[in-house]
DNA sequence: AATCGGGGCAGCAAGTCGAC
DNA sequence: GTCGACTTGCTGCCCCGATT
């Protein structure tokens, strides 16, 4: 250990992934400083595999914190770690699994309470016969269950465990694969009340399934790592990235910054192919800028919002040191939000400081989220998102036509992204539909700005509610409509709309 | 305060897809 | 072809905020 000094104590504290602490002895010899007494226990307890890579972070308090533990095949270990401890909700250990309690006594079921999070569901036809899908309450799912598809273990009163697929997609949360087997084994029937109790969760997992930001490492291999970077193949990393990557249709980039040099930002474009997800354009800039050497270690910490923080370790295993000038402000800072939007806050305090920054700035300026903000003039490059938004809205506001039309701003009121994608329907203004649209269910043609036609089902529900349903989802996806987008539906024929889309510039 | 319109959500049902 | 897993269109109901 390179950074220990003589004044420091000869004791250190190791903190494991679950927060459990282990006291070890620091032995300083001519050959270096070692972790000794207590290390073996720590090693055994965590079942650290041979060839694992342990990256040690020393805290200011003097404690030593081995925060990252990976095998050479990082995904396997990362998954193992998560399985056992980090995500007890997803794949808990035997003693800490989610327990399902079944009771045939309705009173008992109703009076059931627990210090653990739980929800009750009375089995319906659809749960135990028809579809064998169990929808989990939205609030519970959002609060306690994984934010992406995951495996969940259900343990029945007999103690038998069943793995079911928990699907969290498009605002729907449900148990699918494996649920059928559970139903059969437990002989569940319509009317049974089940209480699903989440047992023995790790505290921090309540607010987040991941105790700490996920990490992974890559070794620099000439002509492989230096050309592009394969992001994720592992289950665990997929869990982590899936949401962001799914949502990044409009924003296929991420930010790479070095721990030592957070002032330097590389915008890297993300490519998703059948072979995996890659970081490509911009990645080479990062490699060049930091002059990465063969066999150096790059430890990535995923901070969310498509932001990776990278620590570069020399072949010796120690962190690289730099002698850079004092901090500068970012030339361009861009962050993605979970709903797929992004924001750019431009700071023009300094000029390009490195090739990377130049690239970053160039990217932001040149492409500036082209799908969202039409760049019809150079002056737009200097506009803030707010300005662009305002301009966009003005354009939409100023729309006029000889044909009947109505405007709708997705998510203008309480409508969320979820409504756009999950509900698969668009409610229409009552007055408009009463006046111009059929009084019964009908098929309506929507034509997008590029002239492509879509058929959607128009529903006139008891003359009360009017909305687009079947086919609307396809229109939404095809035209990449998102929260905040403004659409103007211009009735150009008896059952035909020309749709003008004003995609909004995203931020929070 | 009452009414109304619209958004949110969950249940139901039927369809699709893939493995065997 | 069958079965299981999963998707998605449709519906009803509740709730909330705006309007009267």
């Amino acid at each position: 250990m390179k950074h220990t000094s003589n004044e420091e104590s000869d004791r250190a504290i190791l903190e494991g992934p679950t927060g459990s602490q282990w006291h070890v002895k620091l032995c300083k010899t001519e050959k270096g400083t070692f972790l000794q007494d207590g290390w073996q226990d720590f090693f055994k307890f965590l079942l650290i595999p041979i060839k694992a890579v342990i990256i040690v972070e020393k805290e200011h308090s003097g404690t030593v914190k081995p925060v990252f533990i990976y095998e050479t095949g990082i995904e396997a270990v990362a998954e193992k770690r998560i399985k056992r401890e980090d995500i007890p909700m997803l794949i808990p250990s035997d003693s800490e699994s989610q327990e399902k309690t079944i009771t045939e006594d309705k009173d008992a079921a109703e009076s059931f309470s627990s210090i653990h999070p739980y929800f009750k569901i009375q089995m319906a036809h659809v749960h135990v016969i028809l579809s064998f899908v169990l929808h989990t309450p939205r609030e519970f799912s959002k609060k306690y269950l994984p934010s992406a598809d995951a495996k969940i273990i259900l343990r029945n009163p007999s103690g038998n465990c069943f793995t079911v697929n928990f699907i969290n997609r498009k605002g729907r949360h449900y148990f699918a694969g494996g649920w059928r087997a559970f139903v059969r084994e437990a002989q569940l029937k319509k009317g049974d009340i089940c209480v699903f109790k989440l047992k023995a969760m790790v505290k921090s997992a309540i607010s987040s399934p991941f105790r700490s930001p996920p990490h992974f490492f890559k070794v620099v291999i000439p002509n492989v790592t230096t050309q592009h970077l394969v992001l994720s193949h592992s289950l665990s990393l997929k869990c982590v990235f899936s949401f962001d990557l799914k949502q990044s249709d409009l924003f296929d980039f991420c930010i790479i910054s070095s721990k030592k040099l957070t002032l330097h930002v590389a915008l890297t474009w993300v490519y998703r192919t059948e072979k995996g997800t890659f970081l490509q354009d911009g990645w080479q800039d990062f490699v060049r800028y930091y002059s990465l050497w063969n066999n150096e270690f790059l430890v990535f910490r995923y901070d969310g919002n498509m932001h990776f923080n990278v620590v570069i370790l020399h072949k010796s295993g120690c962190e690289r040191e730099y002698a850079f000038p004092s901090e500068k402000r970012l030339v361009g800072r861009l962050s993605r939000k979970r709903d797929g939007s992004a924001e750019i806050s431009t700071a023009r305090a300094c000029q390009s400081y490195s090739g990377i920054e130049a690239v970053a700035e160039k990217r932001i300026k040149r492409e500036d989220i082209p799908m969202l903000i039409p760049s019809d003039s150079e002056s737009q490059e200097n506009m803030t998102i707010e300005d662009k938004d305002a301009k966009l809205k003005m354009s939409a506001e100023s729309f006029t036509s000889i044909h009947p039309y109505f405007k709708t701003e997705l998510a203008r009121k309480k409508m969320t992204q979820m409504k756009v994608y999950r509900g698969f329907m668009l409610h229409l203004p009552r007055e408009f539909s009463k006046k111009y649209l059929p009084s019964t269910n009908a098929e309506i043609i929507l034509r997008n700005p590029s002239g492509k036609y879509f058929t959607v089902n128009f529903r006139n529900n008891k003359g009360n509610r009017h909305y687009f349903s079947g086919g609307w989802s396809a229109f939404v996806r095809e035209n990449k409509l998102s929260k905040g987008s403004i659409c103007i539906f211009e009735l150009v024929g008896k059952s035909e709309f020309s749709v003008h889309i004003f995609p909004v510039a995203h931020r929070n």
Side-chain angles (χ1 to χ4, degrees):
Chain A
M1 297 182 67
K2 192 175 167 182
H3 298 290
T4 55
S5 63
N6 292 332
E7 308 84 68
E8 289 174 346
S9 159
D10 65 345
R11 304 299 298 182
I13 297 173
L14 300 177
E15 191 175 308
T18 55
S20 54
Q21 294 191 340
W22 303 80
H23 293 265
V24 297
K25 188 178 178 182
L26 277 177
C27 291
K28 294 166 187 167
T29 69
E30 290 176 354
K31 291 181 181 175
T33 306
F34 301 88
L35 299 178
Q36 207 159 313
D37 297 352
W39 169 252
Q40 296 91 333
D41 297 335
F42 178 82
F43 197 85
K44 282 179 191 168
F45 179 79
L46 289 177
L47 298 173
I48 298 169
I50 303 300
K51 295 184 182 177
V53 176
I54 301 173
I55 297 155
V56 178
E57 191 171 84
K58 183 172 154 292
E59 293 184 329
H60 292 298
S61 62
T63 59
V64 177
K65 193 173 179 183
V67 282
F68 320 130
I69 302 174
Y70 297 99
E71 203 175 345
T72 40
I74 53 165
E75 288 84 359
V77 169
E79 187 178 352
K80 190 173 177 183
R81 244 181 82 209
I82 290 168
K83 268 185 181 177
R84 190 175 58 239
E85 294 178 328
D86 276 355
I87 316 179
M89 297 183 303
L90 306 184
I91 312 173
S93 64
D94 288 345
S95 60
E96 295 187 344
S97 61
Q98 290 165 312
E99 181 184 284
K100 179 177 176 297
T101 305
I102 303 175
T103 175
E104 292 180 6
D105 184 338
K106 276 197 174 181
D107 292 339
E110 279 166 16
S111 63
F112 177 89
S113 68
S114 170
I115 58 169
H116 300 293
Y118 66 89
F119 64 91
K120 300 174 193 174
I121 289 188
Q122 183 163 21
M123 292 299 113
H125 185 71
V126 69
H127 299 140
V128 295
I129 296 174
L130 190 67
S131 295
F132 287 99
V133 171
L134 183 78
H135 290 269
T136 53
R138 183 178 178 75
E139 283 308 308
F140 187 92
S141 311
K142 280 166 77 175
K143 198 167 178 184
Y144 299 113
L145 298 181
S147 57
D149 294 359
K151 302 278 184 189
I152 295 277
I153 291 182
L154 301 178
R155 198 174 68 196
N156 68 16
S158 319
N160 296 331
C161 292
F162 296 79
T163 302
V164 300
N165 292 340
F166 171 68
I167 309 294
N168 184 339
R169 219 170 290 168
K170 295 174 184 172
R172 293 183 181 232
H173 313 84
Y174 53 91
F175 294 156
W179 170 247
R180 183 188 297 254
F182 184 88
V183 166
R184 286 184 180 160
E185 172 74 16
Q187 297 182 336
L188 290 181
K189 55 186 183 295
K190 188 179 172 183
D192 288 347
I193 297 174
C194 295
V195 180
F196 295 80
K197 184 169 68 174
L198 195 60
K199 283 192 69 181
M201 292 171 60
V202 172
K203 275 184 197 169
S204 57
I206 292 174
S207 57
S208 167
F210 297 98
R211 215 189 121 257
S212 59
H215 300 78
F216 61 97
F217 81 80
K218 296 288 177 184
V219 180
V220 179
I221 302 169
N223 300 323
V224 179
T225 319
T226 51
Q227 294 303 310
H228 60 255
L229 190 76
V230 180
L231 250 191
S232 67
H233 272 127
S234 78
L235 175 66
S236 55
L237 290 178
K238 275 179 184 169
C239 282
V240 173
F241 300 138
S242 60
F243 189 89
D244 281 341
L245 292 180
K246 272 181 195 167
Q247 294 293 320
S248 62
D249 288 340
L250 297 179
F251 299 93
D252 283 344
F253 53 73
C254 67
I255 301 170
I256 303 277
S257 64
S258 156
K259 182 183 175 186
K260 285 283 181 186
L261 302 166
T262 51
L263 53 156
H264 299 293
V265 172
L267 287 180
T268 297
W269 298 84
V270 180
Y271 292 90
R272 278 158 289 164
T273 69
E274 290 176 355
K275 292 180 179 176
T277 302
F278 301 85
L279 300 183
Q280 202 158 301
D281 296 355
W283 173 247
Q284 294 95 330
D285 296 331
F286 185 86
V287 171
R288 274 197 298 274
Y289 181 75
Y290 289 104
S291 302
L292 298 183
W293 289 76
N294 298 350
N295 301 321
E296 281 190 321
F297 273 76
L298 307 175
V299 180
F300 290 78
R301 185 186 73 212
Y302 180 58
D303 290 338
N305 292 337
M306 298 305 287
H307 193 146
F308 297 85
N309 199 304
V310 187
V311 176
I312 304 170
L313 302 177
H314 187 257
K315 278 189 285 189
S316 66
C318 293
E319 193 171 346
R320 260 211 211 169
E321 291 183 3
Y322 296 89
F324 279 90
S326 58
E327 279 201 1
K328 287 186 172 188
R329 293 184 63 81
L330 293 174
V331 171
R333 184 170 161 270
L334 188 153
S335 64
R336 268 187 91 259
K337 302 299 178 187
R338 282 220 134 198
D339 64 356
S341 63
E343 66 178 14
I344 298 173
S345 59
T346 54
R348 308 199 171 275
C350 69
Q351 292 303 312
S352 179
Y353 166 60
S354 70
I356 298 297
E357 284 184 345
V359 168
E361 185 174 28
K362 194 175 169 188
R363 281 218 184 278
I364 292 172
K365 279 189 171 181
R366 188 185 58 210
E367 306 198 30
D368 240 337
I369 318 174
M371 292 185 62
L372 307 181
I373 310 294
S375 56
D376 54 356
S377 70
E378 286 297 312
S379 61
Q380 280 208 354
E381 292 182 357
N382 295 325
M383 291 170 70
T384 63
I385 291 290
E386 284 72 21
D387 292 339
K388 289 172 179 175
D389 250 352
K391 187 172 181 183
L392 182 84
K393 285 189 178 177
M394 278 176 63
S395 305
E397 294 286 350
S398 62
F399 178 89
T400 182
S401 170
I402 57 168
H403 299 293
Y405 65 90
F406 68 90
K407 284 177 218 173
T408 179
E409 182 179 344
L410 305 184
R412 187 175 56 86
K413 294 180 182 173
K414 288 198 299 183
M415 194 178 196
T416 63
Q417 186 80 13
M418 203 161 290
K419 190 69 180 174
V420 180
Y421 285 106
R422 182 215 169 263
F424 296 118
M425 53 187 182
L426 178 76
H427 290 273
L428 309 182
R430 173 186 277 209
E431 288 309 311
F432 183 91
S433 47
K434 271 185 176 175
K435 198 167 177 182
Y436 300 109
L437 298 180
S439 56
T440 57
N441 295 347
E443 285 193 344
I444 297 282
I445 306 286
L446 301 181
R447 194 178 66 206
N448 74 3
S450 48
K452 192 171 177 183
Y453 289 91
F454 299 80
T455 303
V456 299
N457 293 339
F458 168 72
R459 297 293 167 197
N460 190 330
N461 186 10
K462 296 177 184 173
N464 231 355
R465 306 180 61 176
H466 312 86
Y467 54 89
F468 293 151
S469 184
W472 172 244
S473 59
F475 185 84
V476 165
R477 277 192 221 102
E478 189 79 15
N479 294 285
K480 292 186 164 61
L481 296 185
S482 61
K483 179 180 174 180
S485 298
I486 298 173
C487 294
I488 297 177
F489 294 81
E490 184 186 4
L491 189 63
V492 294
K494 192 182 174 186
S495 304
E496 184 180 330
F497 282 96
S498 173
V499 187
H500 305 266
I501 299 171
F502 297 81
V504 74
H506 283 233
R507 52 177 169 271
N508 238 343

